[in-house]
Amino acid sequence: MILKYDVLVIGGGHAGCEAACAAARMGAATCLVTMDMNKIAQMSCNPAVGGIAKGQIVREIDALGGQMGIVTDMASIQFRMLNRSKGPAMWSPRSQCDREKFIWQWRKRLDETERLDIWQDQADELLVEHGEAVGVKTIWGAELRAKAVIITAGTFLNGLMHVGRKMVPGGRIAEPAVANLTESIAQNGITYERMKTGTPVRIDRRSVHFEHTEEQPGEDPLYAFSFLDTPRPSKQLPCWTLKTNEEVHKILLASIADSPLFNGQIQSIGPRYCPSIETKLTTFPDRDSHPLFLEPEGEDTNEMYLNGFSSSMPMEAQIEALRKIPALADVKVYRPGYAIEYDFFDPTQLYHSLESKKVKGLFFAGQVNGTTGYEEAAGQGLVAGVNAALYAGNDAETEYKPFVMHRDESYIGVLIDDLVTKGVDEPYRMFTSRAEYRIMLRQDDADARLTERSYQLGLADRKRLDWWLEKKESIERIIHFCSETPIKASVINEHVDALGTTPLRAGCKLIDLIARPQVTLQTIAPFVKGLPELLQNTFPNRQEEIAEAAEIRMKYAGYIERERVIADKMHRLEDIRIRGRFDYNSLQSLSTECRQKLIRINPETLAQASRIPGVSPSDINVLLVLLGR
């Protein structure tokens, strides 16, 4: 074991695992410091990966050469594609996972990664010399040195858990909080605040009356997160839906005075889009029920997660209320739901590389940046890991060129730009609505957007590049066939009932028929000579994936092109660098709020400045005029 590295990663959660793996694969000697090697990438809350916009992030991580998609597929016990009833820009993959298999699959990936060590310990002090991060000291007295340090401490920094009026320090149930690291980091001028999140009760499967629930099966055939041919070894399991009722609400409301959220015990802000059950009752007082989802924690355990029942109410109130639900009349629980408060650092203190503006070589990723969710954390971790490796491998006398993704390139780019430009006043969660170019940021084309760039960077390997190039060639072959193949109205109109579309008035190219929403490649293939053979000759086990990708490109070509034109216009502002070119205090033609925001954020480009809340279009015009001078 050596104690000097290129990159040091503090925290073994989803951000830390991706950061450590990425840095090591980039060639950096890397060490991951974690408090418990048996809880690597622990799913502290819901045992699921993906969801609305989050699934797109996981596919982007996979396309870049990250590991989350592969690990998820290996541990998946149910897969669903959400928003199928909407356009493909909204389609979002989600997978229920076996919690223990997820941990051990991640541990296996880390153990097999060259140039990566794991050190089980707790970071206690950040070491900074001459304004540059050089390592950490641990509670056991180890001094680990590195050229770059990544902080991915999750909810552990001064973590405080709440159940009713009872408070216990901890970063996660039965795990200690980290007491001194926040203060050590803050000594360098980095500001921090508090946030709150929570998790539901865990239920013993054997005590559930499933006859009072509605079964929710997964999809068949199975989709996958990874673009590679990853095996799916786990048994596929259903979830179940149920509801609260007025009796449940009555019991919970009777104990509301003991809720830390309402008695002043918790002062910090929780996630708006994942509210506790007590918050739902007070926000929507007219609702007589709220949906709940029983989700298995794994293939070989009786533990179940009650999605929709996050709570920090007294444990007696939680259990009494649950027993008023018919399916849970005899419920036994493993542990109650609880809330947790923790420290996070203002992300506007970061560059887009996730490097600190205050301390060179210090990177932050995950919940310490004010986000919530495994996927958001992992995406940040990968970017921080890549940039830390680039920083560590660069000549000390020259400035390294960071790896940065734009808003029209990935949801990860949207996430990071939102964090460093706008900051957070509540835990940040990704949604498709946050991306102005979501037609170009679909889950099906993440490999098209990112794999070649990642390979050039040195993160994605040759196998992944070849996999994408073969898929790309197949897609182009299908589109070319459809563009060149004529369809006669007299022939196809015999089959319009089967296709579900109106008859043609005249002949057309096949690509024009595919543009109709009712027509798919699979449904029209039997009626077009040569098309079944073309689809069949694509790669084994990938026919549906490739046909779907080609079909989406043909159906939405006009929308995609229109969005590309808008994105290209914005890139003109992205190319205009303004950092260091103005003394904002002296620009009296800018509004006072604008000057204050520009001084605090210090944006890199004019495009970034335009996205800062409080900076108006007229302020941007002033800067353009001054740049012209």
Side-chain angles (χ1 to χ4, degrees):
M1 185 70 190
I2 61 172
L3 299 178
K4 192 169 183 179
Y5 293 89
D6 295 321
V7 175
L8 197 58
V9 181
I10 309 303
H14 303 275
C17 287
E18 288 290 356
C21 220
R25 287 165 64 90
M26 291 280 291
T30 305
C31 181
L32 173 64
V33 181
T34 180
M35 295 167 63
D36 190 343
M37 292 172 63
N38 296 320
K39 292 184 177 178
I40 290 286
Q42 167 76 297
M43 296 171 125
S44 309
C45 197
N46 193 350
V49 170
I52 306 301
K54 294 168 174 279
Q56 283 87 326
I57 290 176
V58 180
R59 298 218 88 190
E60 290 171 356
I61 292 169
D62 184 74
L64 286 164
Q67 306 302 305
M68 191 180 215
I70 295 173
V71 171
T72 299
D73 288 343
M74 294 290 289
S76 177
I77 54 177
Q78 188 193 93
F79 189 94
R80 294 172 67 88
M81 185 68 76
L82 307 183
N83 281 342
R84 274 288 193 184
S85 61
K86 301 180 181 179
M90 302 293 105
W91 296 357
S92 301
R94 181 186 186 273
S95 185
Q96 200 73 21
C97 294
D98 185 305
R99 186 188 299 274
E100 294 301 317
K101 288 182 180 179
F102 190 90
I103 291 172
W104 287 105
Q105 283 296 333
W106 248 121
R107 175 73 182 273
K108 186 171 184 286
R109 307 298 296 186
L110 295 174
D111 285 343
E112 293 175 351
T113 300
E114 296 181 7
R115 296 178 293 275
L116 175 57
D117 291 340
I118 302 176
W119 180 258
Q120 183 168 302
D121 205 338
Q122 180 180 316
D124 191 58
E125 179 187 353
L126 175 69
L127 301 177
V128 178
E129 296 175 359
H130 310 295
E132 188 169 6
V134 296
V136 298
K137 286 184 179 178
T138 75
I139 59 172
W140 289 107
E143 186 172 302
L144 300 164
R145 292 259 168 172
K147 298 175 184 177
V149 177
I150 308 174
I151 305 296
T152 67
T155 61
F156 281 78
L157 299 179
N158 293 316
L160 182 64
M161 297 179 291
H162 302 259
V163 178
R165 296 185 180 273
K166 183 71 175 177
M167 294 179 284
V168 177
R172 199 159 46 205
I173 196 76
E175 296 182 59
V178 175
N180 301 314
L181 188 57
T182 295
E183 292 74 16
S184 172
I185 293 170
Q187 289 176 359
N188 300 282
I190 297 172
T191 61
Y192 68 95
E193 297 177 52
R194 299 283 279 176
M195 274 189 179
K196 169 261 173 188
T197 189
T199 190
V201 62
R202 300 310 198 272
I203 286 174
D204 187 334
R205 175 193 178 98
R206 294 166 296 184
S207 66
V208 177
H209 297 285
F210 287 99
E211 66 271 18
H212 296 299
T213 67
E214 182 177 340
E215 186 172 303
Q216 188 182 53
E219 288 189 358
D220 187 26
L222 294 176
Y223 282 75
F225 274 107
S226 179
F227 289 99
L228 300 180
D229 192 16
T230 307
R232 308 289 292 276
S234 298
K235 180 182 177 182
Q236 298 301 292
L237 302 176
C239 296
W240 292 267
T241 62
L242 56 162
K243 293 181 180 180
T244 63
N245 55 49
E246 292 181 349
E247 288 186 90
V248 173
H249 299 178
K250 183 178 179 180
I251 291 170
L252 293 174
L253 289 171
S255 299
I256 203 75
D258 292 320
S259 169
L261 293 175
F262 294 93
N263 64 13
Q265 190 171 304
I266 291 178
Q267 298 291 330
S268 49
I269 300 173
R272 178 193 304 266
Y273 301 104
C274 188
S276 65
I277 186 66
E278 53 265 42
T279 300
K280 293 178 188 177
L281 298 185
T282 55
T283 305
F284 308 104
D286 297 331
R287 293 284 299 271
D288 55 12
S289 69
H290 290 280
L292 303 175
F293 303 87
L294 261 178
E295 301 171 339
E297 294 264 352
E299 191 176 350
D300 302 313
T301 179
N302 289 315
E303 188 175 356
M304 302 194 78
Y305 176 95
L306 188 58
N307 198 339
F309 205 85
S310 290
S311 181
S312 57
M313 298 285 283
M315 66 175 73
E316 298 86 356
Q318 292 185 43
I319 296 171
E320 184 185 356
L322 288 173
R323 286 180 173 163
K324 296 300 180 182
I325 300 173
L328 305 178
D330 301 306
V331 71
K332 294 181 180 179
V333 304
Y334 289 107
R335 62 183 182 274
Y338 64 93
I340 181 169
E341 290 184 286
Y342 56 94
D343 297 335
F344 79 99
F345 301 96
D346 180 0
T348 63
Q349 301 171 106
L350 304 174
Y351 297 115
H352 280 78
S353 62
L354 297 180
E355 183 186 9
S356 170
K357 295 176 181 177
K358 305 284 187 178
V359 179
K360 290 184 177 180
L362 178 63
F363 297 79
F364 293 84
Q367 285 189 261
V368 293
N369 286 340
T371 63
T372 180
Y374 313 141
E375 304 82 3
E376 290 88 341
Q380 293 173 70
L382 186 142
V383 171
V386 168
N387 282 310
L390 291 173
Y391 180 92
N394 199 61
D395 190 318
E397 297 181 358
T398 58
E399 186 176 354
Y400 83 107
K401 185 177 180 181
F403 169 65
V404 173
M405 288 187 284
H406 298 296
R407 296 182 70 91
D408 64 331
E409 191 175 13
S410 68
Y411 272 94
I412 299 174
V414 174
L415 163 66
I416 293 175
D417 184 64
D418 279 352
L419 292 175
V420 305
T421 301
K422 302 175 182 178
V424 293
D425 55 10
E426 61 184 49
Y428 181 101
R429 180 177 180 176
M430 179 54 71
F431 290 101
T432 52
S433 59
R434 297 191 189 273
E436 59 270 46
Y437 307 118
R438 55 184 174 270
I439 298 177
M440 298 194 303
L441 304 183
R442 307 180 311 278
Q443 58 84 29
D444 65 274
D445 76 335
D447 51 355
R449 290 182 273 120
L450 301 172
T451 297
E452 291 184 54
R453 185 178 179 194
S454 179
Y455 178 75
Q456 293 166 0
L457 188 67
L459 182 58
D461 58 19
R462 185 71 211 187
K463 177 185 176 182
R464 185 174 289 279
L465 178 66
D466 289 342
W467 197 256
W468 155 241
L469 292 176
E470 291 172 349
K471 176 181 174 181
K472 179 181 179 181
E473 184 180 343
S474 294
I475 292 171
E476 295 295 343
R477 192 159 52 241
I478 292 172
I479 293 175
H480 177 76
F481 177 89
C482 294
S483 301
E484 298 296 321
T485 301
I487 296 293
K488 292 183 179 180
S490 59
V491 175
I492 201 64
N493 283 344
E494 298 178 13
H495 310 290
V496 291
D497 287 339
L499 297 175
T501 188
T502 56
L504 296 178
R505 294 182 178 180
C508 65
K509 296 294 186 181
L510 178 56
I511 194 170
D512 297 319
L513 191 59
I514 290 293
R516 295 188 177 193
Q518 304 90 345
V519 181
T520 68
L521 283 169
Q522 298 295 341
T523 58
I524 202 172
F527 315 123
V528 180
K529 184 178 180 180
L531 184 56
E533 293 78 13
L534 178 62
L535 296 178
Q536 188 63 36
N537 289 334
T538 56
F539 298 95
N541 303 321
R542 302 185 73 193
Q543 289 94 340
E544 290 189 12
E545 171 196 342
I546 291 170
E548 184 177 86
E551 188 177 302
I552 290 172
R553 278 184 51 184
M554 289 186 284
K555 283 182 181 294
Y556 296 91
Y559 298 101
I560 294 169
E561 179 57 30
R562 184 171 65 184
E563 206 163 79
R564 169 50 57 196
V565 170
I566 297 171
D568 288 342
K569 288 181 180 179
M570 183 53 69
H571 269 300
R572 298 171 195 171
L573 295 184
E574 295 283 5
D575 292 336
I576 302 175
R577 306 285 169 181
I578 62 172
R579 180 174 289 156
R581 299 183 67 178
F582 294 109
D583 175 10
Y584 295 117
N585 260 330
S586 67
L587 301 181
Q588 296 303 310
S589 50
L590 299 176
S591 68
T592 301
E593 182 183 9
C594 174
R595 293 199 303 272
Q596 292 172 347
K597 292 289 181 69
L598 290 174
I599 290 169
R600 185 167 70 89
I601 304 296
N602 192 16
E604 179 71 29
T605 68
L606 200 59
Q608 185 189 356
S610 72
R611 294 189 290 270
I612 298 174
V615 177
S616 68
S618 61
D619 292 323
I620 297 299
N621 285 334
V622 169
L623 293 176
L624 279 168
V625 170
L626 293 172
L627 285 166
R629 292 178 184 173

